Amino acid sequence: DLRRQEERGELLQPLVFALLVLGSVLLYFKVSLMDPGFVQPEEEAGNIEEKSMLIPQLPSNIKMRRCGYCMVKQPMRARHCQLCQRCVRRYDHHCPWIENCVGERNHRLFIAYLGLQLVVLLWGAQVAWSGLYFEQSWKWLQHNFFLLTSFLLIIIFTIVVLLLLVSHLYLISCNTTTWEFMSHHRISYLRHSELENPFDQGVILNLWRFFC
């Protein structure tokens, strides 16, 4: 479809597609190379009174601790990443695809990257599908093997990105992180809390505070 539009001089859709691909590449490098929210040694992790004002359900016996690896005071919801060798504020997970942590500073951009990548993949799948004309012959398979393989790979990547985006949006709506969701029983400020998730302030407010 894009090739036919280009041949007819209709360059708007091919141009938009190219801009979306370029945007996804730029977002990838931005999220991959930026500081995800590393805790600096000179930072003071807020005291327990401050945290109690933000989270009234937090038990008073929870003490802010010093990281046993990099020896910095860990703010609440921070975690040490063994791969980055740094503590990350509001640590979500270490993503091998971007080779960087997803944390306080780049989580929103990571969601934007996933959303834009999903649009590119869906459009790419439609473009690949438009070039396939199925015939039950070995000759057809030889001529269309690359295109068919590309289409199947795009479908697989689309499913992976879609599931990842949906799971992250669900966790954001609950104001929790992947690390907190997976390791709830091992995190002191969650294990000793009266509520299952003391950070949850309702779906709308959770989404507003994350994105805005």
Side-chain angles (χ1 to χ4, degrees):
D1 285 351
L2 290 178
R3 182 179 294 175
R4 285 198 294 269
Q5 288 168 357
E6 185 180 359
E7 290 172 351
R8 292 197 301 264
E10 300 171 2
L11 296 176
L12 180 59
Q13 286 196 30
L15 182 61
V16 172
F17 181 77
L19 289 175
L20 287 175
V21 173
L22 178 62
S24 70
V25 172
L26 293 176
L27 266 178
Y28 170 82
F29 282 110
K30 177 67 175 175
V31 176
S32 177
L33 298 175
M34 74 180 295
D35 175 1
F38 293 127
V39 180
Q40 303 301 325
E42 63 272 13
E43 284 183 19
E44 285 297 322
N47 57 38
I48 193 70
E49 289 79 12
E50 269 182 32
K51 299 301 178 184
S52 298
M53 287 173 62
L54 293 173
I55 312 159
Q57 300 87 355
L58 186 69
S60 58
N61 61 340
I62 301 296
K63 304 298 180 185
M64 298 300 98
R65 68 187 188 90
R66 193 173 290 276
C67 176
Y69 296 97
C70 53
M71 301 309 294
V72 297
K73 275 189 176 181
Q74 280 189 336
M76 185 163 292
R77 311 188 81 177
R79 182 178 186 264
H80 184 86
C81 175
Q82 297 283 6
L83 295 172
C84 292
Q85 295 296 307
R86 301 281 295 275
C87 284
V88 180
R89 291 192 302 272
R90 203 180 182 278
Y91 175 87
D92 189 87
H93 71 289
H94 184 93
C95 180
W97 175 244
I98 64 172
E99 197 54 43
N100 194 12
C101 282
V102 176
E104 183 179 82
R105 294 190 61 187
N106 66 348
H107 201 168
R108 281 186 292 272
L109 283 177
F110 181 72
I111 297 299
Y113 166 69
L114 289 179
L116 186 56
Q117 191 65 59
L118 182 61
V119 172
V120 170
L121 285 167
L122 288 172
W123 198 342
Q126 187 273 327
V127 170
W129 178 260
S130 69
L132 287 172
Y133 300 93
F134 292 97
E135 296 178 8
Q136 293 184 346
S137 68
W138 176 249
K139 186 176 180 181
W140 177 90
L141 184 60
Q142 285 180 316
H143 282 87
N144 292 273
F145 178 77
F146 178 75
L147 186 59
L148 186 60
T149 303
S150 300
F151 176 73
L152 294 175
L153 285 174
I154 290 174
I155 293 299
I156 292 171
F157 290 143
T158 300
I159 293 172
V160 171
V161 172
L162 177 63
L163 291 176
L164 193 58
L165 180 61
V166 169
S167 65
H168 271 277
L169 289 176
Y170 168 74
L171 293 175
I172 291 166
S173 70
C174 300
N175 196 2
T176 189
T177 64
T178 302
W179 172 56
E180 290 170 341
F181 181 77
M182 300 294 290
S183 307
H184 187 280
H185 61 288
R186 295 194 290 112
I187 302 173
S188 59
Y189 59 81
L190 295 179
R191 190 173 66 246
H192 297 117
S193 173
E194 295 177 3
L195 299 178
E196 184 176 353
N197 179 12
F199 305 106
D200 189 5
Q201 296 180 312
V203 174
I204 295 176
L205 192 54
N206 290 338
L207 293 172
W208 173 264
R209 291 198 166 185
F210 182 85
F211 287 106
C212 306

